[in-house]
Amino acid sequence: MDKIILTRQELYDLVWKESLTALSLKYAYSYDGLKKLCKTNNIPIPPNGYWSKLKYNKPVSIIKLPVDNAENQSFDLIYREKDSKISYDQSPLTILTKQIESNSKAPLLVPEKLSNPDILIQNTKFIHDKRKKERYYRNERLDYVSINVDETNWDRALRIMDTFIKLIRYRGHSFKRDRNNWGPNIIIRDIEFPFHIREVQKRIPPLKEYDTSTYIPTGVLLIKIGESFKAIEWKDGNVKLENQLAKIMAKLELEADKEVAWQEECRLHAIQRAEEEKIEQEFKARKEKEIIKTKKLFSDAEKFDKATIYRNFINATEQKAIQENSLTNELKDWIKWANEKADWFDPFINREDELLNENDREEFHKPKQTNYYYR
């Protein structure tokens, strides 16, 4: 796309040289878009009647460009392509709608008579004709469109839906059944849209208290796409449904893009969350390992301290017996046995014991507390 880059002064000169209407034909911006651009940047525009007075050589007054802090700001004006109706200051929906409408090959014109119908419309017509004879006729092998209108509007609804389906296929999209084998649904960027066309009905309240209401067709057709709170509806109004197909198509494509972006955001968020959980689990594992090592350190230190106390006691017992000349063979055996138990309890030695094990060592180290208040 060709464009021109203007300073604030150059844009001011431009809008006083040509009318906004003329500029909107030259550049891909609407009249209101150019007007808003000037207002936002404190650029005065010619008042009403200015160009008529100028045309007939009547005196006019020119409003000077006010001083502004954004003097160095630049503006991009995109040249309008030949016969293009797209204005880039408008909403994405408006822009895409105009792009679809400007494609002369796009099937947008609903014919007066059904011609070369799509396979979905052929199936729909077949099912409809069958149900005239068999009210509850079903054929699970055929994909057909849900059309719920009065018989007088059946032909019109069929033609609208046929054109719409052809437009969907022309835009590179497709149809398929959902996971429950219902459908077919519109598939755009792998996003599924259930759809149907129906006739708006008017409710007539019952005359008697316990009678049911009566519903009468209004001739107003409505296309509903999506489900639940995400569903979007278009219906006859100032603009007939036949002339809204480009807008419907544009809206669906934008909704699909939005859904794809949201799914990608969810995917990235899930990856980030998984990474955070992995880091958190690794930290918990490190912490648990550190707690175990630290507890072992403190426990071993306490055991070593107790083993030292035991040995000191054994040595003191032996020395006392020697001094008193009472070191009997029985006491010698006890001293040998006691040193073996101290070696078994000492974490530096960890002597094997035939009758005691690791659990017994912990029990001697930290005996279980007895609850004397238990009844």
Side-chain angles (χ1 to χ4, degrees):
M1 294 179 291
D2 295 332
K3 65 180 180 180
I4 183 174
I5 302 175
L6 302 175
T7 63
R8 181 168 175 266
Q9 178 66 52
E10 289 171 336
L11 182 57
Y12 165 81
D13 294 338
L14 188 63
V15 298
W16 285 89
K17 182 180 179 181
E18 294 184 72
S19 67
L20 295 184
T21 302
L23 292 175
S24 67
L25 296 175
K26 186 176 181 181
Y27 300 100
Y29 291 87
S30 65
Y31 175 93
D32 291 334
L34 290 170
K35 188 176 180 180
K36 183 179 179 181
L37 179 65
C38 292
K39 183 178 180 180
T40 303
N41 294 280
N42 197 19
I43 299 174
I45 60 176
N48 293 335
Y50 174 84
W51 298 106
S52 296
K53 292 179 180 179
L54 198 65
K55 181 179 179 180
Y56 294 103
N57 296 320
K58 292 184 178 181
V60 293
S61 58
I62 298 177
I63 306 172
K64 292 183 179 181
L65 178 65
V67 177
D68 194 278
N69 294 329
E71 290 296 335
N72 296 325
Q73 186 176 357
S74 61
F75 307 93
D76 296 349
L77 292 186
I78 300 173
Y79 285 104
R80 187 178 296 280
E81 296 179 3
K82 185 179 180 181
D83 299 328
S84 174
K85 298 179 181 179
I86 298 172
S87 296
Y88 290 96
D89 59 288
Q90 296 173 323
S91 69
L93 177 59
T94 301
I95 293 173
L96 185 54
T97 301
K98 290 184 177 181
Q99 287 177 342
I100 295 172
E101 290 174 339
S102 63
N103 186 345
S104 59
K105 295 182 180 180
L108 291 169
L109 184 62
V110 178
E112 292 294 329
K113 186 177 180 180
L114 191 64
S115 174
N116 191 24
D118 185 88
I119 184 62
L120 291 177
I121 297 302
Q122 294 179 37
N123 294 344
T124 304
K125 193 173 183 301
F126 172 79
I127 295 293
H128 177 73
D129 292 341
K130 277 285 189 179
R131 286 178 179 171
K132 288 180 180 180
K133 300 176 182 178
E134 303 175 40
R135 185 176 180 183
Y136 299 106
Y137 176 82
R138 294 180 64 85
N139 190 327
E140 300 294 342
R141 294 177 298 174
L142 292 181
D143 289 338
Y144 57 92
V145 181
S146 175
I147 299 179
N148 186 13
V149 299
D150 187 70
E151 193 64 30
T152 56
N153 287 306
W154 169 258
D155 184 62
R156 180 188 170 214
L158 205 64
R159 288 183 286 109
I160 291 174
M161 192 54 73
D162 181 54
T163 305
F164 184 50
I165 289 172
K166 289 174 179 176
L167 176 62
I168 291 170
R169 294 194 192 278
Y170 178 80
R171 296 289 294 177
H173 312 309
S174 60
F175 299 86
K176 77 172 184 179
R177 297 185 182 187
D178 63 17
R179 66 183 68 181
N180 298 316
N181 205 31
W182 289 93
N185 292 341
I186 302 169
I187 307 299
I188 302 177
R189 328 255 200 271
D190 292 329
I191 306 300
E192 298 186 19
F193 296 94
F195 70 108
H196 69 265
I197 185 170
R198 66 179 178 86
E199 185 171 357
V200 177
Q201 294 185 328
K202 182 179 179 182
R203 175 179 172 271
I204 306 298
L207 298 176
K208 296 181 180 180
E209 184 177 359
Y210 296 106
D211 287 350
T212 58
S213 299
T214 304
Y215 293 88
I216 60 173
T218 62
V220 176
L221 298 191
L222 176 149
I223 289 179
K224 182 176 181 179
I225 300 178
E227 54 188 352
S228 186
F229 66 94
K230 291 184 177 181
I232 311 172
E233 296 181 349
W234 293 266
K235 64 181 179 180
D236 289 324
N238 294 331
V239 180
K240 287 291 186 181
L241 203 53
E242 288 91 334
N243 299 322
Q244 299 183 50
L245 299 184
K247 186 176 182 180
I248 297 173
M249 188 73 261
K251 181 65 174 178
L252 284 182
E253 291 183 352
L254 292 175
E255 287 297 314
D257 289 341
K258 189 189 300 183
E259 184 69 17
V260 168
W262 180 79
Q263 290 182 0
E264 178 65 11
E265 184 180 342
C266 290
R267 187 185 71 84
L268 295 177
H269 178 75
I271 292 174
Q272 181 182 356
R273 180 57 187 159
E275 185 65 26
E276 290 173 354
E277 289 179 353
K278 180 182 177 183
I279 294 172
E280 184 178 351
Q281 291 299 325
E282 289 176 350
F283 176 78
K284 285 182 178 180
R286 286 173 52 207
K287 182 178 179 180
E288 188 64 28
K289 186 176 180 181
E290 195 71 10
I291 289 174
I292 293 172
K293 287 173 62 179
T294 304
K295 284 183 176 180
K296 186 176 185 306
L297 168 65
F298 293 166
S299 177
D300 288 349
E302 291 174 359
K303 289 176 185 175
F304 174 77
D305 189 44
K306 286 184 178 181
T308 303
I309 293 174
Y310 301 156
R311 289 194 181 96
N312 289 339
F313 172 73
I314 295 167
N315 290 334
T317 301
E318 184 179 14
Q319 292 302 317
K320 183 176 181 295
I322 292 173
Q323 290 175 3
E324 296 177 352
N325 198 25
S326 61
L327 187 60
T328 63
N329 288 333
E330 183 180 356
L331 183 58
K332 288 179 180 179
D333 290 341
W334 180 88
I335 292 171
K336 180 177 179 297
W337 172 86
N339 278 318
E340 288 176 353
K341 297 307 172 191
D343 290 345
W344 169 77
F345 196 75
D346 190 337
F348 284 164
I349 300 175
N350 272 328
R351 187 180 188 279
E352 294 289 336
D353 192 285
E354 183 180 0
L355 300 176
L356 302 177
N357 55 37
E358 183 67 28
N359 292 334
D360 296 322
R361 187 182 290 115
E362 291 300 322
E363 179 65 24
F364 280 110
H365 175 46
K366 291 184 178 180
K368 293 181 180 179
Q369 298 295 322
T370 304
N371 186 358
Y372 294 102
Y373 296 97
Y374 174 76
R375 291 184 181 182

